[in-house]
Amino acid sequence: ANPTVSLVAVNGRTAERFLKRVMLTHPFAPDVRVVVLPSTSPANARMRPDEKTRCWSVIRDFPRVSFSR
C-alpha cells in the first residue's frame, strides 16, 4: 500500500469491474476514495464532451496533500 495515494479514478465501468476484482485480494486503505468516471471512449456518446470534462474535473479539484520524506 502506498500511503500517499488518496484517490483512485477509473475510466468507465469496465475499469471499475477490473478494479473491484483487484481489490478482493489487494484492498485499499479505508481513506482512499474511488471514483468511477465516464468512459472517454467515442462509443460513450450519450454524454456531451463538456459533461465528461465536468465529471473528470474531480481529479483536478481533488485536494492535494504534500508529503515530506
Side-chain angles (χ1 to χ4, degrees):
N2 186 329
T4 62
V5 173
S6 58
L7 174 69
V8 174
V10 294
N11 182 9
R13 294 291 174 192
T14 301
E16 177 191 26
R17 286 191 300 271
F18 176 76
L19 180 64
K20 284 182 177 180
R21 279 186 272 157
V22 169
M23 289 176 64
L24 291 173
T25 56
H26 298 84
F28 295 147
D31 57 336
V32 174
R33 181 173 171 202
V34 176
V35 178
V36 181
L37 298 167
S39 174
T40 55
S41 167
N44 184 20
R46 70 179 183 273
M47 288 186 86
R48 294 188 328 260
D50 62 312
E51 292 174 309
K52 286 184 186 181
T53 300
R54 192 180 74 253
C55 291
W56 276 80
S57 69
V58 69
I59 296 171
R60 180 196 63 215
D61 298 338
F62 194 77
R64 298 211 177 346
V65 178
S66 297
F67 293 93
S68 57
R69 297 205 180 250

